[in-house]
Amino acid sequence: MSIARDERAGLAADLSRLGPDAPTLCEGWTARDLLTHMLLRENDPLAIPGMAVSIFDVVTHARAEKMEASGSFEDLVARFAHGPGRFSVFRIPGLDAAANSLEYFIHHEDLLRAQPGWQPRHLGQRVELRLAEIIRKYGRALTRRSPVGVRVEMTGLADPVTLHPGNRIVTIVGKPSEILLLLTGRLSVAQVDVLGEPQTITTFMRSDHSL
């Protein structure tokens, strides 16, 4: 199974269903903005620097406007669903799965959980286990800015995993999917328990959770 492939397909279907003006959890972004971001990320190397470095924001904005003008919303959804373009680095075997599994899972939830009356998806054990692997692989990077130690106890898995050492520590308990949402800053929607001393929890929750 490929989380990146499945999440791409599901996200494309939900973008089409909800339409370009649907809200997302990404502040200031509609579904159209989210879609443009994903298309630029995997197809336009000139826009990539501006996604992380503010000095390139003008270039990125111009590339985004060009992308949006290249077709209707449905055209762009179809392009995203089709996969990386011919000259995209994500066409390298294995890179799509390695780089996009977390990206597309999180952005799919950004879309779904911003809608009124949302309910968490039932992802199934196989998907949760794959997401647990992502936590083990990238958890240290995801918690690198935490001023306190971070440990996770993932539902269905026996042993806690320490992601970030520290004298003071919080323990995050929940499904791997929900823990990933918390670790990537989706604090208001992640269905987890955060255990520890109250001040330590507050320090962790107020820290920088950006990717």
Side-chain angles (χ1 to χ4, degrees):
M1 64 175 296
S2 168
I3 290 178
R5 181 193 61 218
D6 293 345
E7 288 298 305
R8 181 192 295 274
L11 180 50
D14 284 324
L15 284 165
S16 183
R17 175 176 63 87
L18 293 169
D21 298 320
T24 76
L25 295 180
C26 301
E27 185 176 357
W29 280 13
T30 63
R32 183 193 302 276
D33 298 319
L34 183 64
L35 174 60
T36 300
H37 161 79
M38 293 185 294
L39 284 170
L40 286 175
R41 176 179 172 272
E42 70 177 11
N43 293 297
D44 191 341
L46 291 178
I48 290 174
M51 296 179 182
V53 183
S54 60
I55 194 172
F56 292 105
D57 280 352
V58 173
V59 174
T60 304
H61 182 71
R63 305 300 290 184
E65 288 187 334
K66 182 178 179 180
M67 175 70 72
E68 291 179 356
S70 67
S72 68
F73 181 73
E74 283 299 332
D75 290 337
L76 296 179
V77 170
R79 180 177 175 183
F80 172 70
H82 184 70
R86 180 180 177 185
F87 299 108
S88 171
V89 296
F90 294 101
R91 291 290 294 270
I92 298 173
L95 188 57
D96 183 51
N100 287 332
S101 293
L102 175 60
E103 178 85 5
Y104 293 159
F105 166 73
I106 292 298
H107 282 327
H108 198 177
E109 294 297 328
D110 283 336
L111 178 66
L112 294 177
R113 297 193 183 208
Q115 309 313 312
W118 69 269
Q119 294 291 328
R121 291 185 287 164
H122 177 69
L123 298 171
Q125 184 179 17
R126 291 182 64 194
V127 173
E128 292 289 357
L129 288 175
R130 293 296 298 274
L131 294 175
E133 292 175 7
I134 290 174
I135 290 174
R136 290 192 182 96
K137 186 173 183 179
Y138 298 109
R140 182 175 293 274
L142 291 172
T143 56
R144 67 191 183 279
R145 297 188 183 94
S146 176
V148 302
V150 181
R151 179 173 59 198
V152 296
E153 294 183 7
M154 295 180 277
T155 303
L157 300 174
D159 298 324
V161 179
T162 297
L163 304 180
H164 186 76
N167 294 326
R168 298 182 297 154
I169 193 165
V170 295
T171 301
I172 307 169
V173 182
K175 294 179 179 179
S177 55
E178 300 293 337
I179 291 174
L180 272 174
L181 288 169
L182 182 72
L183 294 180
T184 56
R186 280 67 181 174
L187 309 183
S188 64
V189 298
Q191 299 188 340
V192 299
D193 293 317
V194 182
L195 310 178
E197 294 294 328
Q199 187 173 357
T200 305
I201 293 174
T202 298
T203 299
F204 170 73
M205 296 297 279
R206 289 179 176 174
S207 62
D208 184 356
H209 297 276
S210 60
L211 292 175

Short mmCIF file of all heavy atoms in Angstrom, two decimals, residues 25 54 97 113 116 119 130 174:
data_model
loop_
_atom_site.label_atom_id
_atom_site.label_comp_id
_atom_site.label_asym_id
_atom_site.label_seq_id
_atom_site.Cartn_x
_atom_site.Cartn_y
_atom_site.Cartn_z
N LEU A 25 -7.62 24.20 7.39
CA LEU A 25 -6.99 24.55 8.65
C LEU A 25 -5.75 25.42 8.46
O LEU A 25 -5.23 25.96 9.43
CB LEU A 25 -6.58 23.27 9.41
CG LEU A 25 -7.71 22.37 9.89
CD1 LEU A 25 -7.13 21.16 10.62
CD2 LEU A 25 -8.70 23.11 10.78
N SER A 54 11.21 33.61 3.27
CA SER A 54 10.31 34.72 2.97
C SER A 54 10.80 35.62 1.85
O SER A 54 10.00 36.25 1.16
CB SER A 54 10.08 35.56 4.24
OG SER A 54 11.31 36.09 4.71
N ALA A 97 6.44 8.39 -2.42
CA ALA A 97 6.02 7.76 -1.17
C ALA A 97 6.79 8.33 0.01
O ALA A 97 6.22 8.59 1.08
CB ALA A 97 6.18 6.25 -1.25
N ARG A 113 -11.02 18.50 8.22
CA ARG A 113 -11.33 18.93 9.59
C ARG A 113 -11.68 20.41 9.70
O ARG A 113 -12.04 20.88 10.78
CB ARG A 113 -10.19 18.55 10.53
CG ARG A 113 -9.99 17.05 10.61
CD ARG A 113 -9.09 16.60 11.75
NE ARG A 113 -8.91 15.15 11.69
CZ ARG A 113 -8.66 14.38 12.74
NH1 ARG A 113 -8.54 14.91 13.94
NH2 ARG A 113 -8.50 13.07 12.60
N PRO A 116 -17.64 22.13 8.63
CA PRO A 116 -18.59 22.03 9.73
C PRO A 116 -19.01 20.58 9.97
O PRO A 116 -19.27 19.84 9.02
CB PRO A 116 -19.78 22.87 9.24
CG PRO A 116 -19.21 23.80 8.22
CD PRO A 116 -18.10 23.03 7.56
N GLN A 119 -15.99 14.69 11.15
CA GLN A 119 -15.75 13.52 11.99
C GLN A 119 -14.44 12.89 11.56
O GLN A 119 -14.10 12.90 10.36
CB GLN A 119 -16.89 12.49 11.83
CG GLN A 119 -18.24 12.96 12.34
CD GLN A 119 -18.27 13.11 13.86
OE1 GLN A 119 -17.60 12.37 14.57
NE2 GLN A 119 -19.05 14.08 14.34
N ARG A 130 1.43 2.32 9.35
CA ARG A 130 2.34 3.04 8.45
C ARG A 130 2.60 4.45 8.98
O ARG A 130 3.72 4.97 8.89
CB ARG A 130 1.76 3.09 7.03
CG ARG A 130 1.69 1.75 6.35
CD ARG A 130 3.07 1.15 6.13
NE ARG A 130 3.90 1.97 5.27
CZ ARG A 130 3.90 1.90 3.94
NH1 ARG A 130 3.08 1.05 3.31
NH2 ARG A 130 4.68 2.67 3.22
N GLY A 174 -2.41 8.51 21.89
CA GLY A 174 -3.47 8.49 20.90
C GLY A 174 -3.10 7.66 19.70
O GLY A 174 -2.03 7.03 19.65
#
